[in-house]
Structure formats: C-alpha cells, structure tokens
Amino acid sequence: MSAKIKLVVIGNGPVGHNFLEYLVESGNSCQYQVTVFGEEPLPAYDRVHLTAWFKNQDVADINMVSEDFYPKNNFILHTGDKVINIDRTKKLVTSASGMKVHYDKIILATGSFPFVPPVHGHQRDNIFVYRTIEDLEKITAAAKTAKIGTVIGGGLLGLEAAKALMDLGLKTHVVEFAPRLMAVQVDDGGGAMLRKKIQDLGVSVHTQKNTQNISDGDTAVHKMSFADGEILETDIIVFSAGIRPRDELARQAELSMGERGGVIINNNCLTSNQDIYAIGEVALWNNKIFGLIAPGNAMAHAAVDHLTGTGTSEFTGADMSTKLKLMGVDVASIGDAHGNTPNSRSYTYVNDREEVYKKIVVSEDDKYLLGAVLIGDAAEYGSLLQFMLNKMELPSEPEGLILPRVDGSSSGIGIDALPDSAVLCSCMNVSKADVVETVQAGACDMAAIKSCTKAATGCGGCTALVTQVLNNELEKQGVEVNTDLCQHFSYTRQDLYNLVRIEKIKSFDELLEKHGSQSGTGLGCDICKPTAASILASCWNDHVLDEKLHSLQDTNDYYLGNMQKDGTYSIVPRIPGGEITPDGLIVLGEVAKKYNLYTKITGGQRVDLFGARSEQLPAIWRILVDAGFETGHAYGKSLRTVKSCVGSTWCRYGVQDSMGMSILLENRYKGLRSPHKLKMAVSGCTRECAEAQSKDVGIIATENGWNMYVGGNGGMKPRHGDLFAVDLSDVELIQYIDRFFMFYIRTADRLQRTSVWMDNMEGGLEYLKTVIIDDKLGLVNELEQEMSAVVGTYQCEWKTTIEDPIKMKRFEHFVNSKRHDDNVIFTTERQQIRPVLTAEKNTETITQ
Amino acid sequence: MTTNMTNKQWVAICNIDDILPNMGRCALFNNKQVAIFRVLDSAGGESFYAIDNYCPFSHANTLSRGITGNIDGKTVISSPLYKQHFDLLTGICLEDKNVKVNTYPVRLDGHAVLMSEATINVS
C-alpha cells in the first residue's frame, strides 16, 4: 500500500472546515493523512451567525462540527494551537506549541482579522472587535457594568454587532465614516430607509463621522471625539471597520502576495507554490478578497477538486449579492446596486408607510437586470438574483418586478425559464438541477430537500425559490401534488380544521355528508376518521368515547391505553412534572403487583405498566382514579409530559422554579389533542438537565424569566428547538405557548410533528414570530380563546369512563364470554412478565 | 361474484346493541375468536361481517379493535397494530393479496346477531 499524502490544513474556521467536509464527500479522504490546526480553542463554528451565540451563550447553537466528524475520518485536529512557521525546503510546519508536522500539501485557511484603525486611544480597555466567541464573551462581561455601547462601522457586521449590544441591554450607537449605512451594498435611498428603520428600533445612527481620538469620558468610560468637533460618550466600543487577511504565515513562507495583503491564488486556489493552496478570506483572487461565506465555500470546492483530481470546478470570482435580516429588517443587495454601469437605467419604489425601499438597475435596453437594492421587504430577492445571474431577459416594463401586486398574482420568474445550472442556494452551492434530481429521487417536501441537498439551510434567503422549484418539479413529474387527506376528503387537514371550526361541525357524519368526496357512498377510513376525531377534539373537546366520536378513534384512544404487540395494553397515569409522592408510588406498585404488570420508568418521567388485558383496564383505573391519578394520554396524539429538573427549589444552580412551572404547564395543556404528540420540558437553568431543547416546546430558566424554544425533537431525526423568545414572564410564556400550540393545531398536517412543520413553514422561525409575537395575522386573541376553551373543558377521560356502566362493557374481550384471550401468554424475565415469543407459544391455543 | 354456502344451524351470539355502530367486537364461536363488525352505510342501511380476530401480521387477536371504513369501494377493517386493510367480504388483505383471513356467515334476526357454522367460499 502506498503511503498516504500528508495534508496539513491551517485554520479551522468555517471555510477550513467546509474544505474537509467536501474532501470527505469527494470520497478521497482516505488517501490523505490529514492534520488540522486551529488557533481558537473550539473547533469550527458558524461565524456568519455569530450573533446567535448571544441568545443563550451556548456554542452548540453555532457549532459546525458533528462530534464524531474528525475521529470518524481519522483527521487529527489540534485546536488552540496556531501554525507559526512553514519550512518549504524541509516541507515542515511548526506550531506555537512546538509541534512539527511534515506535509506534502498545505491548505491555508487562516481567514482574516478585524481591522482596527489607528485612532488615538484604540488600545484602551473596554474596546473590542467582533469576530470570535472569545470577543463575544469579553463584550458580554463588559456589558454587565456598562450602559452605553458604540459600534464603529455601519457595515453589515457592524449592524450585527449593534444588535448584540442592544440585546445586552445597552443604549446603542452606530458610528459610520461614510454618508450612509452599509455603504458598499446599499445606495443612498436604501441607506436612508435602512437608517430610519434602525433608528426606529432605538439605535442612534451617526454617519459621516471620522473618529479621531478616544479618551476618558466625563459621564461614561470613553469620550469619542470626531473630526467635525462633536463628541460621543460611551462605555463600550466595538470596532467593525472591515477585515484584513491573516497573511503573516504566507509572508513568512514567501508566497506571492497582493500589494495590500492577501495570498495570490489562481482559479484552482493554488498559491505561487505548487504544494500550497489558499482559500477563504486570506486568499486574493484577481486582486479581490472575498469576505462572504459562499465564495469561501466555492474556493474550498475548487481546491478539493484540484487536489484530488476528482472534479473540474474552478474559482472564477463570486457574485457578492447578499440578503440578510439585520435587527429584523430585511436587507438585500444584488450586483450593481449603485447603478455604476454606464447608461444603465434604474427604477425605484418607495413606500414610506410600510417603510419599504426597492430599486432595480437594468441595462440600457431594459432587457437585463444588473443590480438591485431591497430594504424592508426582500421577497423578490430570489427571483431578481436569478434574472441577473442567468442573464435572463426581463419582462417588458421591468419595474413591475418590484411594484406591489394589486391583483394577487405572483411576481417574478417563470421557474421553467431558469436554466438547470442556476444556483438557487449560493451558501451551499445548490443548483436547480440538484433540487430537480433530488425530487426525481423521491423527495417531496422542503424538509427532504433540506436534508438531502442542504439547500436553504444557510442564510435561508432562497427558501421561497427552492419551494417553487420543488412544487414545479413535482407537478411536472405528474406526482400530482395531491394534498387530499384521503380518498374520502379532497381537502388538507388544515382545510378540514377550518371547515369544522367555521361551520361548527360536531361529528364525523356531518363532516362526511357536507364535505366528503364520494357523494354519499363513503364510510371514511383509518386516515380520515382519527384525523377528524383529533380536529373535533381540538375544537370542541368532547369526550373521545362520546357516542358520536368513539368509532373514529384509533384503538389506543378507544381503549385509553397503548396497545402492545400482543394486543395487551400499557397504562401510563399522569405524573405532572414527574413529581410523585411516596403514597402515589406505592399505589402504582400495588396496582402493578395485583395485576402482575411489567413496570418501567419512562423517558418522560413517569411509570408505564405493561401487560394489562382490555377487560382489566376499568378495574385498574378504578383504583388509580380513587387514588387521585388521572389519565396520562400516552395513547393520544396529544400532550404527553412536561419533563422537568427540580429547579431553584433544590438545585444550587437553579434560577427559577422549573418544577412549579412544569406542573402548571402540564395541568394546563393535558388533554389537548393535536396533529401529533406534543412533548414539553422545563429546565431550571442553562445547564438544561431537562433536555428542553429536544421538545416541541422547551423552556429554560434565565435570571430574568424564561427562554422559550420551539420545534425541537428527539427520535428518528433529532432537531434542536429554535430559540423563539427570551426572558419571558410567566404570563407571557403561557400566552406564547397557547398561541403556538393553537397555530400548530390549526395549520399542521396530519401526524406532522412541530419540527417538520417548522422545517416546511415558508418564512420559518421569523415568520412564526411575526404571527405569534407581532400578531401579523391578527389571530392571537382567537388562538388564546380557543386554547382557553380547551383548558376549560378538560376532563379525565378515564374518570368519566369508569363512571359510565355502558362504556365499561366494551372492554370485555369477548362479547359472549367471560373468558380471556388465551393467546396472551407471559413468561418471566428479570423477575417481571414479558410476552412469550411466537416460538415459545403452545401451538394448541384456541386461536390458531 | 357467487357465494356458496352450505346451510347449517345459526347460533345466537349477542344482542345487536352489544356491537356499537361502525365498530367491531370479538366473539367466541366454535372455540374460535371471531371479529364481528356492524357497518352503517350513509343511507341508514346496516351490514354485519365476521372474520378471524387473529391478525396474520401481528400474530395477535386484534382485528376486532380496528377502524372500519371503505377503500376503493371495498368495506374494510384496518389492523390496529400495523394498519393493513382486510376486505370484510372476502378476508383478503389489500396490501398483500396472498394473505387472507377466514370469513364467516353472520346475520341479524330481530335484535339477535347470529352466526352459522358453515364456512363461506367467495369466488
């Protein structure tokens, strides 16, 4: 076996890491002995979303590296150790800790550093930059004793930093040298609108300010003096005045450099040395540094292709168009945003009421799009970008592309007109052809597209466009995008929910008669009946074994227990928050002993009793109900448990009473029926012992209240919940959960967990916030009332059932005999019962 | 479709009210577990069906606890554990035509639900 090629990757930022991901994807990584050096103590994290770290100051939120990525691929990673020397003669790199590693090839991905202009006083304390988690930690610590924070630099990153300062509770200023914010990406008109919107949020913006001196302040830590004689007092200063390549190692290695820094690379990302590649913000291509993630990734791809010889992609420059949300404000810039192209024309739409600014720059003959600026509403970003990138001919009167539609028609692009090569997602470099292929291979929703292609998982700016391509392709394939619930109803679950709610439909028969698709011959089926039962329960909350409803229920709901593989049931009494008295435990133990039930503690902090035959259920529940237990709804598509840690009551770290909150929430939402099961958890501090981020709704205590997460999931496809709101009071928390659950119940598909529902939601988390928090749809009162109706009509289904002798009769196994099902046979294992295996069964049973 | 049935004794199993509309119940008949279903159509008509209670997929006596309905015009029961559908008239599984459960004659006489010892062959 030939020796492996020794590859040293210097730098473990996003681009350096993505290089390794691509190397693995290329299938060639086993030919290389890979050593990675990273200067920071942590493995690669997503710098683009650095601000997300502030939400709960947890690196996991922006971590890019799965735990086993490096060991699984036999890559050696040295974090906290930077390379200080490259010896090209000996082909040896040396690190700060003295480690020496031989190389055949080097990938230089050292990134950049924030530029701090040599203003007098810039080395004072309480002055920071905004690039690493360490920077953020320092800013957070300093903010604790500060009142005012100022960012020098009103570019993209500067505004991100301003948001961070604001979130830390500081009165925030932005100081910009140019006459407008985001001077590179945005024109004057757009800059003015952006400024207005950002000032509305409480940030003071100072443009055309040249900071000349920083000295001791009179009322705050610093006094900033500007060239025009004005001053500004502030406690914290964050410099965000651009980036410079981290090229000192390249200089030392005597690679060819640009006049103003940066390592010169060719289209293959090779430097002047045949064995050294450079990628990302350290690399200079065609005399340009690219300070965005997408071009960095494209360079990483080109370097992998050239190094391994498995691909042909080259780096030939990058489109610097960008769309982002700054402090909740949509901002997008495409191509020639300033109209610098000779003879270009521009069209502008300004709406002062909605605070929206849109401009397009087109060619002299109106045929091609050259650039655009969108502030306040960037919905057209995706289609405008495609017009430009693919040089597609514009419709006549191109101004129509940015004018509001009065007739409700959709603006923009014909999906079919897009070439296959069109890059829909530039962050992940996903083309239209990639999406189409994935659909042809069987993907049929956004969640599948995201997981297969990673499209729309970066900045998310392309979500709407990718969705259009997906639907278009499904339609074309004749995969009729059939959203019918089943053959009995030509409606989605959401449609049926609305029909039931609006027409006050109370039974399945009524629903079938009014809206069924088989004109009088349909009976329903095992899809529509339980779905209708769930909807009727969410809306009217009648007992599931009500005369009109019982035949719609799945066997689990009908028997109010969980059917196991042998046809017996398991029983889960509700134990809110997992809190139970010794007497309660004794009752459970006694019942289990009396009926010889297999007993297990569940993951949701309660007790599951297995092996009850249907005819035993009423007697068992009689004992449980008498002892004060209620049904746990483990059998229903409904709220399961609210898991909890003991919180501030017992734990030395707890900052809120998570026990009390979890019990309150479990008692509030118990019995709520929904499209799928619902799980919740409450953690008493940021250590998160209740694992709340893996729940549909997770709550984590903070010093100031509660942080709320939504859309988490464990199971087959784990998903961390998204941070939805921070520092909520008890009242706000319950309000938001009420609204969230009801909105989910109203709009989700059948058996769609909140995680998948979130993944498929157009506009995603931000949209959800506008609905639940900002009340964009004017719904929140309705949602709260609907929840309040459900909460107010709660009954323990088992208590009601055992009080009704007619209902009790149904639990007998035989309609005409008191005998038991003799195919239910147990044996003993670890001192408890278990069902016998088929092979262990006596074949002479009366069944077969 | 022709149905051949040798006429034998009918045996009373239960009262009609013991089986709720659109539900199934398990009965002990000739020492065998049988699932009897009472299915209402939209015109108010009512049909009774009887098949094995034993589900050949889950190997458990569960079919009487499934949900009734119709699929492609056939009146069916869905297995509560793994959700296969069985045609109540023929016993044939819709998802796997090679799997078939036994069907039995059942009828209503006044308020009494009757079963016969005959076996039916539907061809």
Side-chain angles (χ1 to χ4, degrees):
Chain A
M1 198 179 117
S2 61
K4 288 189 175 186
I5 301 161
K6 292 189 276 294
L7 177 67
V8 176
V9 179
I10 303 175
N12 193 226
V15 173
H17 177 72
N18 282 335
F19 168 85
L20 294 167
E21 294 266 4
Y22 301 149
L23 182 65
V24 171
E25 277 168 28
S26 79
N28 289 286
S29 61
C30 52
Q31 292 171 27
Y32 296 87
Q33 181 188 322
V34 179
T35 310
V36 185
F37 286 93
E39 178 183 5
E40 288 188 61
L42 293 166
Y45 55 85
D46 181 4
R47 229 183 276 290
V48 180
H49 295 109
L50 199 55
T51 316
W53 176 85
F54 276 107
K55 287 175 185 165
N56 40 1
Q57 310 201 353
D58 185 350
V59 180
D61 290 352
I62 54 173
N63 174 39
M64 293 179 72
V65 187
S66 62
E67 207 174 304
D68 59 349
F69 178 79
Y70 286 88
K72 194 173 75 193
N73 294 296
N74 290 318
F75 296 163
I76 298 163
L77 172 63
H78 301 290
T79 52
D81 194 7
K82 92 174 174 182
V83 172
I84 51 167
N85 188 275
I86 298 174
D87 185 332
R88 284 169 48 180
T89 327
K90 292 186 187 154
K91 299 197 91 171
L92 185 74
V93 303
T94 308
S95 77
S97 74
M99 194 171 307
K100 290 182 190 301
V101 179
H102 282 280
Y103 72 85
D104 295 311
K105 301 282 178 186
I106 283 179
I107 304 294
L108 201 58
T110 45
S112 63
F113 66 93
F115 170 63
V116 177
V119 178
H120 184 74
H122 73 269
Q123 282 163 324
R124 291 162 56 86
D125 282 347
N126 264 18
I127 297 186
F128 307 99
V129 293
Y130 193 83
R131 180 163 180 93
T132 65
I133 288 179
E134 262 180 294
D135 295 332
L136 305 200
E137 284 170 346
K138 288 184 202 159
I139 293 170
T140 310
K144 288 195 172 135
T145 53
K147 289 197 174 66
I148 307 169
T150 301
V151 179
I152 300 185
L156 200 155
L157 201 60
L159 294 179
E160 287 273 346
K163 168 162 175 40
L165 293 185
M166 212 168 66
D167 288 347
L168 287 168
L170 304 184
K171 164 79 193 110
T172 304
H173 297 268
V174 173
V175 172
E176 167 59 46
F177 180 75
R180 61 176 181 275
L181 296 171
M182 290 186 70
V184 180
Q185 295 93 347
V186 168
D187 64 340
D188 278 330
M193 186 65 81
L194 179 62
R195 177 183 189 140
K196 187 160 181 286
K197 291 182 82 87
I198 286 188
Q199 282 181 330
D200 286 349
L201 294 166
V203 175
S204 305
V205 178
H206 314 265
T207 50
Q208 285 179 291
K209 287 277 180 274
N210 179 5
T211 312
Q212 291 201 314
N213 187 43
I214 305 170
S215 54
D216 284 341
D218 299 322
T219 58
V221 176
H222 310 289
K223 182 199 294 184
M224 299 168 65
S225 308
F226 304 118
D228 60 8
E230 288 190 24
I231 56 157
L232 176 66
E233 298 237 335
T234 182
D235 297 315
I236 288 177
I237 294 174
V238 178
F239 273 105
S240 179
I243 55 162
R244 297 289 183 270
R246 285 285 304 271
D247 54 10
E248 64 271 20
L249 194 59
R251 265 178 222 288
Q252 173 273 314
E254 296 182 334
L255 302 174
S256 297
M257 311 291 290
E259 261 175 53
R260 300 174 61 197
V263 191
I264 295 172
I265 58 166
N266 67 12
N267 291 4
N268 301 121
C269 298
L270 264 182
T271 65
S272 55
N273 182 297
Q274 285 302 307
D275 296 322
I276 304 180
Y277 296 82
I279 55 178
E281 292 175 339
V282 73
L284 186 73
W285 181 89
N286 204 14
N287 225 11
K288 270 186 254 169
I289 295 280
F290 294 85
L292 289 178
I293 183 71
N297 288 345
M299 288 182 201
H301 256 299
V304 168
D305 280 358
H306 189 258
L307 175 73
T308 61
T310 48
T312 55
S313 81
E314 294 190 356
F315 183 76
T316 52
D319 174 62
M320 298 299 275
S321 300
T322 184
K323 174 190 164 195
L324 60 154
K325 210 179 232 340
L326 286 167
M327 306 187 183
V329 180
D330 281 317
V331 179
S333 165
I334 294 175
D336 180 10
H338 301 283
N340 291 333
T341 311
N343 302 322
S344 61
R345 288 180 176 172
S346 69
Y347 299 92
T348 309
Y349 168 75
V350 185
N351 180 333
D352 275 333
R353 176 170 38 85
E354 307 269 340
E355 301 196 337
V356 168
Y357 175 90
K358 297 178 182 184
K359 182 180 85 169
I360 51 173
V361 179
V362 303
S363 59
E364 190 175 2
D365 54 6
D366 267 353
K367 275 195 173 154
Y368 302 103
L369 188 79
L370 304 173
V373 177
L374 307 169
I375 308 287
D377 171 10
E380 295 91 353
Y381 174 76
S383 49
L384 290 177
L385 183 63
Q386 296 300 331
F387 271 116
M388 187 196 71
L389 292 179
N390 302 298
K391 298 202 169 48
M392 293 163 67
E393 208 167 301
L394 293 169
S396 56
E397 298 174 4
E399 64 270 28
L401 291 172
I402 50 169
L403 291 178
R405 301 269 136 176
V406 280
D407 55 359
S409 67
S410 72
S411 72
I413 206 158
I415 291 297
D416 279 330
L418 270 180
D420 282 347
S421 58
V423 173
L424 305 181
C425 172
S426 54
C427 299
M428 300 297 154
N429 193 27
V430 182
S431 68
K432 179 187 171 193
D434 296 332
V435 173
V436 168
E437 265 172 42
T438 310
V439 176
Q440 283 167 354
C444 51
D445 60 16
M446 264 312 272
I449 297 286
K450 280 183 184 172
S451 97
C452 295
T453 66
K454 296 189 180 159
T457 60
C459 72
C462 61
T463 312
L465 196 62
V466 175
T467 310
Q468 281 179 49
V469 171
L470 164 71
N471 289 341
N472 186 57
E473 189 56 28
L474 284 173
E475 226 163 279
K476 221 188 294 178
Q477 280 182 24
V479 180
E480 208 176 304
V481 189
N482 186 349
T483 53
D484 293 0
L485 182 68
C486 66
Q487 52 182 257
H488 303 98
F489 291 98
S490 305
Y491 293 99
T492 62
R493 181 196 168 278
Q494 185 176 354
D495 294 335
L496 288 181
Y497 180 92
N498 290 330
L499 290 170
V500 166
R501 181 68 83 179
I502 291 160
E503 299 178 12
K504 301 197 165 35
I505 292 173
K506 296 287 173 64
S507 74
F508 181 74
D509 289 344
E510 191 184 343
L511 185 65
L512 194 64
E513 191 189 314
K514 283 190 174 162
H515 301 291
S517 51
Q518 296 183 346
S519 56
T521 61
L523 303 175
C525 66
D526 57 322
I527 306 287
C528 56
K529 281 182 170 181
T531 303
S534 165
I535 293 172
L536 291 166
S538 298
C539 288
W540 319 123
N541 211 21
D542 292 322
H543 195 286
V544 289
L545 298 186
D546 180 282
E547 199 182 334
K548 289 199 287 290
L549 302 173
H550 66 87
S551 70
L552 312 176
Q553 312 294 346
D554 261 318
T555 188
N556 283 2
D557 273 310
Y558 186 83
Y559 284 90
L560 305 169
N562 293 52
M563 188 191 264
Q564 302 299 331
K565 60 191 279 190
D566 63 346
T568 63
Y569 291 86
S570 75
I571 296 164
V572 187
R574 186 166 298 287
I575 302 177
E579 185 181 275
I580 186 165
T581 62
D583 284 337
L585 271 177
I586 287 167
V587 170
L588 295 183
E590 282 172 351
V591 167
K593 205 166 182 179
K594 178 168 178 188
Y595 290 91
N596 192 22
L597 304 174
Y598 169 80
T599 308
K600 186 178 187 315
I601 308 291
T602 72
Q605 301 185 334
R606 40 194 195 175
V607 181
D608 207 341
L609 310 171
F610 288 76
R613 297 189 308 269
S614 62
E615 68 271 16
Q616 295 176 314
L617 293 171
I620 292 172
W621 271 104
R622 165 59 67 196
I623 301 171
L624 293 172
V625 166
D626 285 348
F629 283 102
E630 294 186 320
T631 183
H633 294 97
Y635 46 79
K637 305 299 177 212
S638 53
L639 179 84
R640 297 290 170 85
T641 67
V642 185
K643 191 175 171 180
S644 173
C645 65
V646 291
S648 57
T649 317
W650 288 93
C651 176
R652 64 192 148 147
Y653 297 119
V655 293
Q656 302 284 349
D657 177 15
S658 54
M659 244 359 284
M661 181 52 80
S662 74
I663 292 170
L664 187 148
L665 292 175
E666 186 155 344
N667 282 324
R668 180 170 182 81
Y669 300 114
K670 65 187 176 188
L672 172 68
R673 284 202 156 61
S674 49
H676 210 312
K677 59 186 170 187
L678 291 172
K679 298 183 178 183
M680 299 176 72
V682 185
S683 277
C685 79
T686 180
R687 285 167 185 76
E688 240 286 67
C689 296
E691 298 166 339
Q693 287 168 94
S694 67
K695 306 299 183 196
D696 297 282
V697 172
I699 295 133
I700 302 177
T702 69
E703 299 277 352
N704 308 314
W706 307 98
N707 283 357
M708 173 175 166
Y709 291 76
V710 298
N713 198 352
M716 190 156 66
K717 203 166 158 263
R719 182 185 193 275
H720 270 128
D722 295 312
L723 181 63
F724 183 75
V726 298
D727 292 338
L728 300 175
S729 68
D730 291 8
V731 172
E732 287 170 326
L733 177 67
I734 288 164
Q735 247 175 1
Y736 286 2
I737 301 173
D738 278 6
R739 298 172 188 175
F740 173 77
F741 276 158
M742 266 348 248
F743 189 57
Y744 163 65
I745 287 169
R746 196 182 262 232
T747 58
D749 278 341
R750 154 186 178 267
L751 300 186
Q752 186 178 45
R753 290 292 294 272
T754 57
S755 57
V756 180
W757 175 68
M758 292 280 298
D759 276 346
N760 280 314
M761 187 181 299
E762 221 170 286
L765 182 67
E766 292 305 321
Y767 171 73
L768 190 66
K769 285 184 190 171
T770 62
V771 175
I772 305 290
I773 301 175
D774 308 333
D775 197 14
K776 181 181 169 179
L777 304 181
L779 271 184
V780 303
N781 288 337
E782 222 173 282
L783 296 174
E784 283 176 29
Q785 280 161 15
E786 289 166 7
M787 180 62 84
S788 147
V790 170
V791 172
T793 51
Y794 169 80
Q795 55 182 314
C796 169
E797 289 160 357
W798 262 114
K799 187 164 192 277
T800 316
T801 302
I802 55 177
E803 281 162 4
D804 182 343
I806 297 174
K807 287 196 175 98
M808 297 275 275
K809 269 175 72 179
R810 309 167 181 180
F811 290 90
E812 286 297 333
H813 185 72
F814 291 108
V815 69
N816 56 347
S817 166
K818 289 282 172 201
R819 285 166 66 178
H820 307 146
D821 179 0
D822 64 355
N823 189 36
V824 171
I825 308 165
F826 300 121
T827 184
T828 305
E829 189 170 273
R830 294 183 295 275
Q831 297 99 53
Q832 295 207 71
I833 59 157
R834 70 157 169 81
V836 296
L837 305 171
T838 319
E840 294 168 329
K841 251 180 209 171
N842 179 353
T843 50
E844 306 254 317
T845 69
I846 58 166
T847 51
Q848 285 286 293
Chain B
M1 188 193 301
T2 58
T3 306
N4 298 314
M5 199 172 88
T6 46
N7 206 355
K8 285 199 179 175
Q9 278 281 300
W10 289 93
V11 180
I13 300 292
C14 61
N15 192 291
I16 182 170
D17 296 334
D18 292 333
I19 308 175
L20 296 163
N22 296 318
M23 297 295 292
R25 278 307 292 271
C26 171
L28 190 60
F29 179 67
N30 274 355
N31 236 15
K32 229 175 142 63
Q33 294 199 24
V34 175
I36 304 176
F37 298 93
R38 175 185 175 191
V39 180
L40 262 55
D41 61 44
S42 51
E46 181 167 66
S47 310
F48 285 85
Y49 304 88
I51 64 171
D52 286 335
N53 192 32
Y54 185 82
C55 168
F57 294 99
S58 62
H59 306 291
N61 289 314
T62 54
L63 290 185
S64 65
R65 290 175 266 175
I67 292 178
T68 60
N70 67 336
I71 306 271
D72 300 334
K74 299 186 175 82
T75 305
V76 299
I77 180 73
S78 78
S79 150
L81 278 168
Y82 298 118
K83 313 297 176 196
Q84 294 90 354
H85 299 90
F86 294 91
D87 184 337
L88 285 175
L89 209 56
T90 63
I92 294 170
C93 171
L94 265 51
E95 284 77 14
D96 182 351
K97 302 268 186 293
N98 298 318
V99 178
K100 179 179 178 296
V101 295
N102 294 312
T103 53
Y104 305 91
V106 57
R107 70 179 172 89
L108 190 66
D109 183 11
H111 289 288
V113 178
L114 308 181
M115 283 188 66
S116 158
E117 288 179 31
T119 50
I120 20 174
N121 291 304
V122 180
S123 53

